[in-house]
Amino acid sequence: MKSIYSKLIFGFFVTIVASFSVAGIVSLKSNNEQIKETVVDDLISTRDYVSKVLSNEGIQNKDEIINLYALSSELTISYYSKDSRVFCYGSQDFCLDEQEIKKLYESSSDRTMIYSSGNILSYGEKCLINGQEYYILVQKDTSDQKNIFTNSVILILGCVFFIGSVVFLVVAEIIVRPIARLTNATKELYNGNYSVRVDTLGEDEISKLNQSFNRMAIQLAKQDETRQKFISDISHEFQTPLTSIQGFANILKEEDLSKEQREKYANIILYNSKRLSSLAKNMLQLTLLDRDEIELELTSYSLVEQLKRVISTQESIAANKDIEIVFQPPKKDITLLADEQRMEQVWTNIISNAIKYTNDGGLITITMKRTGKEVEVDIEDTGIGMSKEVISHIFERFYREDKARNIEGNGLGLAIVKSIVDLHHGKIEVESTVDVGTVFKVKMPLEENKLGFFR
């Protein structure tokens, strides 16, 4: 029984056989008890009737009356006394001979109820009639009554079984068919067909399962698309510096190069190797961030001092492009509970990104303000700006706007920023206007609010 359909049918038949067997046994036993009680009442009434007939001396045709009563009631009536022979009326099949009657008579004290066979119920009693002791025995064959009930039970159970089987097979088909379709769809999904979908009509459990399958298929399709794009992007990002390194390494093999040329080409190789190293390091960091394998080392520190420190490391780079960095700290210091090293990377990536995309002689303004239970850091530049389409993709890995392709970078910095901010339960927002500038707004929960997240 490999299929769920065969298991359902097997379970149905086992349940039906077991339940019908128990129901039949209980019903037959209960019915037999009821038949016994009814028949006993009839036998006692018959014994009383026969006793009255025999005691009435005015009745001339007593044998005919008793025999007619026995035949109409489907009974066998026998009586015996020491002064007379055995008399038997009704069906002669159950009549006892004189010796058997005598044994019952002698063994009977007052009232005796016996089962002479499985379906024959007998009632015998001694009674005194007109000064003479009689032993009256009344017998009844209950097989017909039992057979009628048994046949009725069999008919009812048969109808229930037939109708139940038809209904069950229909219901089983309704249940199994969508599961079979879902199984086939799962095989398609396993083989790489992410466009496969199943029907989701209804609100039952199977429909909800189908809905979950469709959502999973959509998500897997997106992940596959992202994976393919990631492979394509990473191949491109690695191929460019590798090609440069290979090309200039071959040039360095030439013997007629001057010292200045060798130094120039060696510096190019060194630059591209550092670029590859940075790319590999960033990719590893993003992988760890995505898998939640980085444990944040939380400490309370001054956010103002941290930003001043990061700005000081970027000022020399900004000075090369004659870019001014203006920091407007709040009047009161703000303490942040966070991973200081990770957050420093956030500010470094955003500020260095602003420097890259700001033209010579531009301005970068950094402001801080406390809003309720969080602190907001705004980093605004007067750079090339971005369209809404670009803003919707800037936190994707390797994404770089076409007009920024000639600017140094690998498109991983902002993806790392977003992952670190998310790990701290913060938010990052971007506002930008093309050829005007961009504002990055980083909102971080303050210490009293953050304690609940990480303890």
Side-chain angles (χ1 to χ4, degrees):
M1 293 187 296
K2 294 183 178 180
S3 68
I4 190 173
Y5 192 75
S6 60
K7 291 178 180 179
L8 285 172
I9 293 177
F10 177 77
F12 171 78
F13 279 107
V14 169
T15 303
I16 287 294
V17 170
S19 59
F20 278 15
S21 298
V22 173
I25 292 172
V26 172
S27 299
L28 290 174
K29 185 176 181 180
S30 175
N31 180 69
N32 289 343
E33 291 296 326
Q34 293 178 1
I35 291 175
K36 176 182 175 182
E37 293 176 2
T38 303
V39 171
V40 167
D41 291 340
D42 290 342
L43 295 181
I44 293 174
S45 299
T46 300
R47 195 275 308 164
D48 293 339
Y49 175 78
V50 172
S51 177
K52 290 179 181 180
V53 171
L54 292 177
S55 63
N56 193 336
E57 296 179 353
I59 300 176
Q60 300 298 323
N61 53 343
K62 293 180 181 181
D63 291 339
E64 184 178 349
I65 292 174
I66 295 174
N67 188 59
L68 183 62
Y69 181 87
L71 292 173
S72 63
S73 301
E74 297 182 347
L75 298 170
T76 297
I77 303 173
S78 304
Y79 70 87
Y80 163 80
S81 70
K82 291 181 178 181
D83 300 331
S84 64
R85 61 185 178 82
V86 176
F87 294 91
C88 184
Y89 307 96
S91 175
Q92 300 298 306
D93 296 336
F94 311 123
C95 288
L96 302 181
D97 57 28
E98 187 172 350
Q99 295 300 322
E100 291 174 324
I101 287 288
K102 283 183 178 182
K103 288 181 181 180
L104 293 175
Y105 171 78
E106 292 171 356
S107 61
S108 174
S109 56
D110 181 22
R111 175 180 299 179
T112 303
M113 190 178 298
I114 60 174
Y115 290 92
S116 56
S117 64
N119 294 320
I120 307 303
L121 187 61
S122 302
Y123 177 84
E125 183 181 4
K126 285 181 179 180
C127 56
L128 191 62
I129 302 175
N130 297 331
Q132 186 177 357
E133 189 176 55
Y134 284 84
Y135 181 78
I136 300 176
L137 179 67
V138 185
Q139 296 171 287
K140 173 75 172 181
D141 184 2
T142 60
S143 58
D144 289 343
Q145 292 170 285
K146 291 181 179 179
N147 289 337
I148 291 173
F149 180 80
T150 302
N151 293 335
S152 299
V153 169
I154 293 174
L155 180 61
I156 293 172
L157 294 182
C159 292
V160 171
F161 178 77
F162 175 75
I163 297 174
S165 299
V166 173
V167 173
F168 174 81
L169 291 175
V170 173
V171 173
E173 182 70 14
I174 294 174
I175 295 174
V176 172
R177 184 177 294 175
I179 295 177
R181 287 198 295 263
L182 183 60
T183 302
N184 293 331
T186 305
K187 292 179 181 178
E188 289 289 323
L189 193 66
Y190 173 80
N191 292 326
N193 181 14
Y194 298 113
S195 63
V196 64
R197 300 290 183 272
V198 290
D199 296 334
T200 58
L201 298 177
E203 295 295 332
D204 56 15
E205 287 77 4
I206 294 180
S207 297
K208 292 178 180 178
L209 180 62
N210 289 342
Q211 293 171 10
S212 299
F213 174 86
N214 288 342
R215 287 194 294 268
M216 179 184 68
I218 293 172
Q219 187 63 31
L220 286 175
K222 291 181 179 179
Q223 290 181 358
D224 184 65
E225 182 180 355
T226 302
R227 179 182 61 83
Q228 292 180 2
K229 185 176 183 299
F230 176 78
I231 294 174
S232 175
D233 289 340
I234 197 173
S235 298
H236 173 76
E237 293 293 336
F238 271 98
Q239 187 62 38
T240 301
L242 281 174
T243 302
S244 179
I245 290 172
Q246 291 172 353
F248 286 104
N250 286 328
I251 294 176
L252 285 176
K253 291 168 63 176
E254 299 179 6
E255 297 181 357
D256 56 347
L257 292 176
S258 64
K259 181 180 178 181
E260 291 78 11
Q261 287 177 317
R262 288 184 182 276
E263 184 176 351
K264 176 183 177 182
Y265 298 148
N267 286 334
I268 293 175
I269 292 174
L270 180 61
Y271 166 78
N272 282 285
S273 64
K274 288 182 178 179
R275 182 179 173 188
L276 282 174
S277 177
S278 174
L279 179 61
K281 180 180 178 181
N282 287 339
M283 286 180 56
L284 176 60
Q285 186 175 10
L286 270 175
T287 301
L288 295 175
L289 289 169
D290 286 346
R291 294 166 60 182
D292 294 332
E293 292 186 3
I294 292 181
E295 293 185 4
L296 298 178
E297 299 179 3
L298 301 176
T299 56
S300 295
Y301 64 89
S302 169
L303 182 58
V304 174
E305 292 301 321
Q306 184 182 53
L307 283 170
K308 286 181 179 179
R309 185 168 57 251
V310 172
I311 292 171
S312 65
T313 62
Q314 299 295 314
E315 283 180 338
S316 60
I317 302 174
N320 293 332
K321 297 178 66 176
D322 195 23
I323 295 174
E324 181 182 4
I325 300 178
V326 176
F327 179 40
Q328 299 174 350
K331 294 180 180 180
K332 293 183 179 181
D333 195 6
I334 296 178
T335 301
L336 188 65
L337 177 64
D339 188 321
E340 188 172 0
Q341 183 179 356
R342 299 291 176 191
M343 289 307 300
E344 194 159 309
Q345 187 176 10
V346 168
W347 311 127
T348 300
N349 285 0
I350 296 177
I351 294 173
S352 64
N353 208 60
I355 295 172
K356 289 177 187 177
Y357 293 98
T358 299
N359 296 324
D360 294 354
L363 174 66
I364 296 175
T365 305
I366 301 173
T367 59
M368 290 174 57
K369 61 182 177 180
R370 179 170 179 161
T371 57
K373 293 184 178 182
E374 63 183 11
V375 60
E376 179 180 322
V377 178
D378 294 349
I379 302 175
E380 182 177 2
D381 64 55
T382 57
I384 61 177
M386 296 176 286
S387 64
K388 291 183 179 180
E389 174 65 21
V390 174
I391 291 174
S392 65
H393 295 286
I394 58 170
F395 295 115
E396 296 177 6
R397 300 174 187 186
F398 297 111
Y399 180 80
R400 300 180 69 194
E401 191 179 2
D402 290 339
K403 66 179 182 178
R405 286 288 178 182
N406 59 340
I407 299 177
E408 180 184 347
N410 51 42
L412 294 176
L414 291 179
I416 293 175
V417 166
K418 182 70 165 60
S419 297
I420 294 175
V421 172
D422 288 343
L423 277 177
H424 284 83
H425 300 274
K427 294 179 290 185
I428 183 168
E429 300 172 355
V430 182
E431 297 177 359
S432 185
T433 304
V434 177
D435 297 328
V436 175
T438 302
V439 182
F440 280 83
K441 297 183 177 183
V442 180
K443 300 177 182 180
M444 298 292 295
L446 290 174
E447 181 173 354
E448 58 267 27
N449 194 32
K450 286 284 295 290
L451 288 173
F453 289 133
F454 300 103
R455 280 188 175 179

